[in-house]
C-alpha cells in the first residue's frame, strides 16, 4: 500500500472534553492537516486545532453592497429614466421611497452570500468523502467526536500516526483509504 | 455521561433551570428526536393529515372558482374594497414573525432556551408565509398577469411603480420567504446528516439516500462548523432587521395611505408587536399538542412554555398600549374624521369585532401574570386560541372598520363575507397544516445539534477544573 491511496487516519473520542484535549496534543505535536468531526460545534476547538476564522463576513459585505447598488440602479433606471411615469404628483425617482426595496435587496443578496458562500467555502455539497469509510463515523452526527489527520500532512506516517492517536486516548483508530 | 439536574429556582435568577430535563445524554437526545420520524406513523397523524388535505383541496377549489368568476365572489365591494383577503394576508404573515424572532433575535440575545423550539417555529414561519402570499396574489383579480408586480420586461414596456407600498410588500414578503427558507435549511443540514447516518445504520437505504441528498455530504468537520456558525450568525443578524422591516412594510400598506384610522405613525411598531404576539400564540397552539403527542416533555419543558407565556404577556400588553394610544392620538389630533373613525370602531356597526379584539388580545394574556397558569399547558393552549382569534379580529377591525363609513354618509356600507370568503380562509389552514404535518412526520422537529450544544456536557471544560455549571458553546 502506498501513501497516495491513503486519505488519512481517523480516531474516535467519547466526549467534548477529550476531543478538545486530543486536538491540543495533536497540533502541539506538530500535525497541521488536522480536523475534528463533531455532532455540534465544540467551543474552543478551532483554537485547539489552530484553524483560522471564517472569511465569510467579507463575502457577505460585498454581496450586500451589490444588493444596494443593483436596487438603486434598478429603481432609478426604471422609474426615473427608462419610462418616466408621474404617479400622484410624486417625483419619478425619489430616494426616500426607495429605502424599503433597497434594504430588502441588500438583505436578499447578503443572505445568498452567507448561504452559498458557506457552501462554497466548505466545498459542499459533495456526494462522498473518504471519511465515510471509517467504521464508526456515523456516530459523528450522534454522540461521538472524531479527529482526523490527513495523509498529506508532512509529519504523517501511517504507523507512527496511528500509535500516536492511540496514545492520546483515541479509539477505533483506522487508516482511511482515498 | 452525567445526568442533568432539574434546577428550577425562580426566586434565584442566577441559577438557570436545565434546558434538557431527565437523564438525557447526546445519544438519547438524538433518539428522542429522530425517533419521532422513525417510528411507525401514528393513526392520529393520518386522520389529521386527511383533514388537512381535504381543506387544502377546498382551498384549491375556491381559488379555481375565484379565477373563473373574478373577485366579485367575495364580499369586497365599495366602500370596503379590502376585505378578508387582506385580513388573512396580514394574519398569516404576522404568525410567521414569531419563528424569525425565535430563530434570529433570541439567537443574537444568546437565549439558549430557543434551541428546542426554533426548528418547529421556523417551519411555522415558512408555511405561514406561504399561506399569506396566496391572498394578495389572488386578490389582484387577473392572476395570470401577476408577474407585472415584478420588474420584468413586459408587452407594455411599463415598469412597476417603486413608490407604491404594495410593491415594497412584494419585495419584503418574497425576501422574507427566501431568507427564512434558507435559514431553516441551513439549520437542518447537520440534523439531516444525523437522519442519514441513522437510516444508513438501520439499513433503510432509500431514506438514507433521500436524507443524504439534502444533507449535502455534511460530516461535522470543524472547518465546516467554523463557516457554518459564521453563516448562521450572519443570517440571524440579517433576519433580525428583516423581520422588523417586513411587518413595518405591511403596515405601510395602510399607514402610507391618507385614510383616517390607517394614516398613523404608530403602525410599524404596533404591527410588529402584534405580529410577534400572534406568532407566539400560534407557537403555543402547535407546540403544546406536539409536545404531548410526540413525547418531547424533557426537551420542551415547562420552563420553555413559561418563557413563551411571558413574551405573550409582554407583547399583548404592548398591543393594548397601541390600542389606547391610537385612540388618544385620534382625540388629541383634533381631526374630526380621525375621532369619528375611532368612535365608530368601538361603538359603530363593528363594535363587537372591536371588543372581541380587546378582550382576546389585551385581557386574556393578563392571566400570564400568574405563574401556575404560565406553567399549565392546557391553560396556555386555551389562551393561545383566544390570541389567534383576537389577532385575526385586530386585522379585521383595522381593515374593515376604517373603510365601511367613508367621508360621504350616502356611500356608507356594511361588509359581509360570502361563503367563498370563509371557505378560502379555512382552506388556508389546510395549506398550513398539510405542510406542518409533513414536517412533523419526516424532518427533525427539534434542532438536534443545537440542543446538544446547550447541554452541560457540550462544554469541553465540563467536569474539569473550570467547573462550568451550565453548558453550551460560545
Amino acid at each position: 500500500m502506498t501513501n497516495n491511496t491513503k486519505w488519512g487516519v481517523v480516531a474516535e473520542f467519547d466526549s467534548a472534553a477529550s476531543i478538545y484535549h486530543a486536538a491540543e496534543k495533536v497540533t502541539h505535536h506538530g500535525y497541521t492537516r488536522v480536523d475534528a468531526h463533531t455532532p455540534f460545534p465544540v467551543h474552543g476547538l478551532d483554537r485547539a486545532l489552530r484553524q483560522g476564522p471564517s472569511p465569510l463576513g467579507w463575502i457577505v459585505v460585498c454581496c450586500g453592497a451589490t444588493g444596494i447598488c443593483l436596487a438603486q440602479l434598478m429603481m432609478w433606471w426604471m422609474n426615473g429614466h427608462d419610462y418616466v411615469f408621474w404617479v400622484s404628483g410624486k417625483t419619478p425617482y425619489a430616494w426616500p421611497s426607495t429605502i424599503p426595496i433597497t434594504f430588502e435587496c441588500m438583505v436578499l443578496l447578503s443572505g445568498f452570500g452567507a448561504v452559498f458562500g458557506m457552501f462554497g467555502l466548505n466545498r459542499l455539497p459533495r456526494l462522498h468523502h473518504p471519511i465515510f469509510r471509517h467504521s464508526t463515523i456515523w456516530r459523528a452526527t450522534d454522540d461521538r467526536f472524531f479527529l482526523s489527520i490527513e495523509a498529506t500532512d508532512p509529519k504523517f506516517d501511517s504507523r507512527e500516526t496511528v500509535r500516536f492517536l492511540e496514545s492520546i486516548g483515541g479509539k477505533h483508530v483506522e487508516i482511511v483509504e482515498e | 455521561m452525567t445526568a442533568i439536574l432539574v434546577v428550577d429556582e425562580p426566586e434565584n435568577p442566577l441559577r438557570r433551570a436545565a434546558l434538557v430535563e431527565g437523564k438525557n445524554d447526546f445519544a438519547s437526545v438524538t433518539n428522542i428526536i429522530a425517533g419521532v420520524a422513525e417510528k411507525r406513523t401514528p393513526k392520529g397523524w393520518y386522520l389529521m393529515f386527511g383533514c388537512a388535505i381535504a381543506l387544502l383541496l377546498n382551498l384549491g377549489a375556491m381559488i379555481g372558482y375565484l379565477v373563473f368568476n373574478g373577485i366579485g365572489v367575495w364580499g369586497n365591494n365599495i366602500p370596503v374594497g379590502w376585505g378578508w383577503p387582506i385580513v388573512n394576508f396580514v394574519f398569516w404573515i404576522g404568525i410567521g414573525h414569531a419563528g424569525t424572532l425565535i430563530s434570529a433575535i433570541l439567537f443574537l440575545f444568546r437565549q439558549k432556551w430557543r434551541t428546542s423550539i426554533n426548528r418547529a417555529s421556523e417551519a411555522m414561519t415558512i408555511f405561514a408565509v406561504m399561506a399569506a402570499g396566496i391572498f394578495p396574489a389572488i386578490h389582484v383579480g387577473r392572476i395570470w398577469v401577476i408577474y407585472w408586480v415584478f420588474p420584468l420586461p413586459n408587452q407594455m414596456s411599463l415598469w412597476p411603480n417603486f413608490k407604491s407600498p404594495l410593491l415594497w410588500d412584494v419585495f419584503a414578503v418574497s425576501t422574507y420567504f427566501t431568507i427564512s427558507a434558507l435559514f431553516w435549511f441551513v439549520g437542518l443540514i447537520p440534523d439531516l446528516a444525523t437522519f442519514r447516518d441513522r437510516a444508513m445504520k438501520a439499513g433503510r437505504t432509500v431514506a438514507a439516500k433521500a436524507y443524504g441528498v439534502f444533507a449535502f455530504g455534511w460530516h461535522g468537520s470543524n472547518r465546516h462548523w467554523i463557516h457554518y456558525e459564521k453563516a448562521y450568525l450572519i443570517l440571524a443578524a440579517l433576519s433580525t432587521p428583516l423581520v422588523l422591516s417586513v411587518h413595518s412594510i405591511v403596515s405601510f400598506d395602510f399607514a402610507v395611505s391618507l385614510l383616517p384610522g390607517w394614516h398613523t405613525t404608530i403602525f410599524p411598531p404596533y404591527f410588529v408587536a402584534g405580529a410577534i404576539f400572534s406568532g407566539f400564540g400560534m407557537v403555543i397552539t402547535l407546540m403544546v399538542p406536539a409536545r404531548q403527542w410526540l413525547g418531547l416533555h424533557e426537551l420542551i419543558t415547562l420552563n420553555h412554555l413559561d418563557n413563551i407565556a411571558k413574551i405573550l404577556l409582554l407583547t399583548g400588553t404592548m398591543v393594548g398600549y397601541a390600542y389606547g394610544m391610537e385612540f388618544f392620538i385620534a382625540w388629541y389630533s383634533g381631526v374630526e374624521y380621525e375621532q369619528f373613525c375611532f368612535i365608530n370602531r368601538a361603538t359603530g356597526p363593528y363594535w363587537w369585532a372591536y371588543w372581541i379584539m380587546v378582550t382576546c388580545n389585551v385581557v386574556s394574556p393578563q392571566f400570564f401574570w400568574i405563574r401556575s397558569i404560565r406553567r399549565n399547558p392546557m391553560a396556555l393552549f386555551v389562551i393561545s386560541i383566544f390570541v389567534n382569534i383576537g389577532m385575526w379580529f385586530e386585522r379585521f377591525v383595522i381593515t374593515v372598520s376604517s373603510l365601511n363609513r367613508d367621508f360621504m354618509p350616502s356611500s356608507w356600507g356594511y361588509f359581509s363575507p360570502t361563503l367563498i370568503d370563509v371557505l378560502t380562509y379555512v382552506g388556508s389552514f389546510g395549506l398550513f397544516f398539510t405542510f406542518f404535518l409533513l414536517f412533523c412526520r419526516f424532518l427533525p422537529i427539534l434542532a438536534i445539534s443545537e440542543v446538544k450544544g446547550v447541554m452541560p456536557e457540550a462544554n469541553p471544560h465540563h467536569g474539569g477544573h473550570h467547573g462550568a455549571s451550565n453548558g453550551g458553546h460560545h
Side-chain angles (χ1 to χ4, degrees):
Chain A
M1 205 184 293
T2 55
N3 246 0
N4 55 17
T5 62
K6 290 190 187 103
W7 178 76
V9 177
V10 180
E12 181 190 306
F13 294 86
D14 61 4
S15 72
S18 60
I19 186 100
Y20 179 80
H21 296 303
E24 277 184 328
K25 283 176 194 150
V26 166
T27 47
H28 189 69
H29 204 256
Y31 287 106
T32 47
R33 308 259 326 147
V34 187
D35 204 358
H37 306 268
T38 57
F40 52 85
V42 176
H43 179 62
L45 206 52
D46 43 347
R47 257 194 325 273
L49 289 167
R50 300 185 190 171
Q51 292 171 339
S54 173
L56 193 60
W58 297 108
I59 297 175
V60 173
V61 166
C62 296
C63 292
T66 311
I68 292 172
C69 297
L70 284 180
Q72 280 297 319
L73 190 67
M74 170 180 78
M75 286 184 277
W76 167 80
W77 186 75
M78 289 179 183
N79 273 184
H81 181 77
D82 185 54
Y83 196 114
V84 180
F85 196 78
W86 287 78
V87 184
S88 51
K90 290 171 190 152
T91 322
Y93 171 83
W95 71 266
S97 70
T98 62
I99 291 172
I101 289 178
T102 307
F103 174 79
E104 300 301 334
C105 291
M106 182 275 288
V107 168
L108 185 69
L109 265 71
S110 303
F112 285 152
V115 174
F116 300 116
M118 183 268 285
F119 287 143
L121 291 168
N122 285 344
R123 307 272 187 276
L124 291 178
R126 59 182 289 174
L127 291 172
H128 192 65
H129 191 279
I131 200 160
F132 287 121
R133 297 191 205 281
H134 186 272
S135 63
T136 59
I137 191 68
W138 62 277
R139 296 187 76 171
T141 56
D142 183 10
D143 64 341
R144 286 293 186 270
F145 304 79
F146 293 80
L147 202 62
S148 63
I149 300 177
E150 285 176 41
T152 50
D153 192 298
K155 262 186 78 81
F156 184 86
D157 174 272
S158 42
R159 221 169 292 160
E160 181 53 37
T161 305
V162 168
R163 204 173 304 134
F164 175 69
L165 282 171
E166 278 168 347
S167 75
I168 58 171
K171 290 168 205 145
H172 301 285
V173 182
E174 292 170 20
I175 296 171
V176 171
E177 303 290 316
E178 188 69 62
Chain B
M1 302 241 167
T2 339
I4 300 132
L5 284 173
V6 181
V7 188
D8 181 33
E9 296 171 82
E11 61 281 357
N12 181 1
L14 292 177
R15 286 207 63 183
R16 292 285 186 172
L19 292 168
V20 176
E21 292 181 348
K23 291 190 174 179
N24 279 306
D25 54 26
F26 297 140
S28 72
V29 166
T30 316
N31 282 331
I32 293 174
I33 301 168
V36 171
E38 286 167 2
K39 70 171 182 233
R40 262 186 75 111
T41 313
K43 285 203 181 70
W45 186 87
Y46 284 114
L47 187 69
M48 289 188 287
F49 191 67
C51 296
I53 285 283
L55 290 178
L56 178 62
L57 291 174
N58 157 56
L59 176 69
M62 289 306 117
I63 293 175
Y65 185 73
L66 172 87
V67 172
F68 274 97
N69 293 282
I71 51 171
V73 299
W74 285 337
N76 306 11
N77 212 330
I78 302 304
V80 184
W82 273 9
W84 276 34
I86 297 302
V87 176
N88 300 340
F89 162 68
V90 185
F91 171 79
W92 277 118
I93 199 116
I95 282 174
H97 282 47
T100 317
L101 182 100
I102 292 167
S103 59
I105 301 181
L106 295 186
F107 177 78
L108 295 183
F109 284 142
R110 300 282 182 260
Q111 294 292 307
K112 287 177 185 161
W113 60 274
R114 69 181 264 291
T115 52
S116 65
I117 53 168
N118 72 331
R119 172 67 45 72
S121 313
E122 287 168 30
M124 176 190 84
T125 294
I126 293 165
F127 308 144
V129 175
M130 284 161 61
I134 285 179
F135 287 101
I138 59 178
H139 195 284
V140 298
R142 282 178 286 166
I143 195 167
W144 49 93
V145 288
I146 186 74
Y147 65 92
W148 284 354
V149 302
F150 297 110
L152 299 169
N154 58 47
Q155 63 272 44
M156 301 176 298
S157 59
L158 192 63
W159 298 109
N161 174 19
F162 290 107
K163 290 180 288 293
S164 164
L166 298 177
L167 198 68
W168 303 348
D169 229 11
V170 171
F171 278 82
V173 173
S174 48
T175 300
Y176 184 47
F177 178 76
T178 313
I179 296 294
S180 301
L182 284 175
F183 199 5
W184 187 61
F185 176 64
V186 165
L188 271 169
I189 289 173
D191 295 354
L192 290 173
T194 302
F195 273 32
R196 172 199 65 201
D197 292 347
R198 284 175 67 94
M200 199 58 142
K201 192 70 191 157
R204 295 179 292 124
T205 8
V206 178
K209 286 218 169 90
Y211 287 125
V213 165
F214 291 103
F216 274 22
W218 183 263
H219 49 93
S221 154
N222 200 61
R223 276 196 208 105
H224 290 182
W225 278 122
I226 292 171
H227 299 308
Y228 177 93
E229 284 205 286
K230 181 67 112 188
Y232 202 89
L233 177 67
I234 291 171
L235 282 173
L238 290 169
S239 300
T240 298
L242 176 66
V243 68
L244 302 179
S245 83
V246 171
H247 227 61
S248 297
I249 291 175
V250 169
S251 85
F252 290 162
D253 291 345
F254 300 91
V256 174
S257 76
L258 295 173
L259 206 70
W262 285 1
H263 187 57
T264 60
T265 49
I266 200 176
F267 260 31
Y270 160 32
F271 267 51
V272 171
I276 290 165
F277 178 62
S278 71
F280 271 92
M282 191 56 105
V283 168
I284 291 275
T285 309
L286 296 172
M287 293 313 267
V288 167
R291 168 181 187 270
Q292 187 69 33
W293 292 334
L294 305 175
L296 303 170
H297 300 81
E298 291 177 340
L299 300 177
I300 304 171
T301 67
L302 287 180
N303 295 318
H304 290 104
L305 298 181
D306 191 341
N307 285 343
I308 301 174
K310 284 175 185 163
I311 293 183
L312 277 174
L313 174 58
L314 172 73
T315 48
T317 310
M318 284 161 76
V319 166
Y321 168 82
Y323 296 161
M325 189 48 73
E326 258 189 332
F327 235 108
F328 169 75
I329 293 293
W331 167 75
Y332 188 66
S333 68
V335 179
E336 60 183 309
Y337 301 106
E338 282 286 340
Q339 290 167 350
F340 172 79
C341 179
F342 280 88
I343 300 286
N344 181 47
R345 263 186 200 178
T347 62
Y350 294 102
W351 64 272
W352 49 273
Y354 185 83
W355 293 106
I356 289 174
M357 165 188 101
V358 171
T359 314
C360 291
N361 293 349
V362 187
V363 179
S364 75
Q366 303 307 322
F367 286 104
F368 292 142
W369 288 104
I370 304 160
R371 185 164 182 269
S372 56
I373 294 181
R374 290 200 306 270
R375 303 179 73 85
N376 179 340
M378 199 57 219
L380 271 164
F381 182 77
V382 171
I383 294 177
S384 80
I385 298 292
F386 279 106
V387 170
N388 290 327
I389 295 172
M391 284 309 294
W392 188 88
F393 271 98
E394 180 193 297
R395 280 63 175 256
F396 178 81
V397 165
I398 292 171
T399 308
V400 174
S401 81
S402 307
L403 290 169
N404 80 309
R405 289 186 163 175
D406 68 6
F407 296 95
M408 277 217 297
S410 61
S411 61
W412 286 4
Y414 189 84
F415 170 84
S416 300
T418 63
L419 185 64
I420 309 295
D421 271 312
V422 179
L423 290 178
T424 311
Y425 175 53
V426 173
S428 66
F429 279 90
L431 176 83
F432 179 77
F433 280 107
T434 300
F435 281 102
F436 198 80
L437 286 164
L438 285 172
F439 159 72
C440 284
R441 188 70 206 97
F442 295 107
L443 290 175
I445 54 170
L446 266 74
I448 306 175
S449 67
E450 288 186 43
V451 170
K452 286 175 188 165
V454 298
M455 291 168 72
E457 308 89 306
N459 189 328
H461 308 302
H462 172 70
H465 56 279
H466 296 276
S469 62
N470 202 346
H473 51 285
H474 305 294

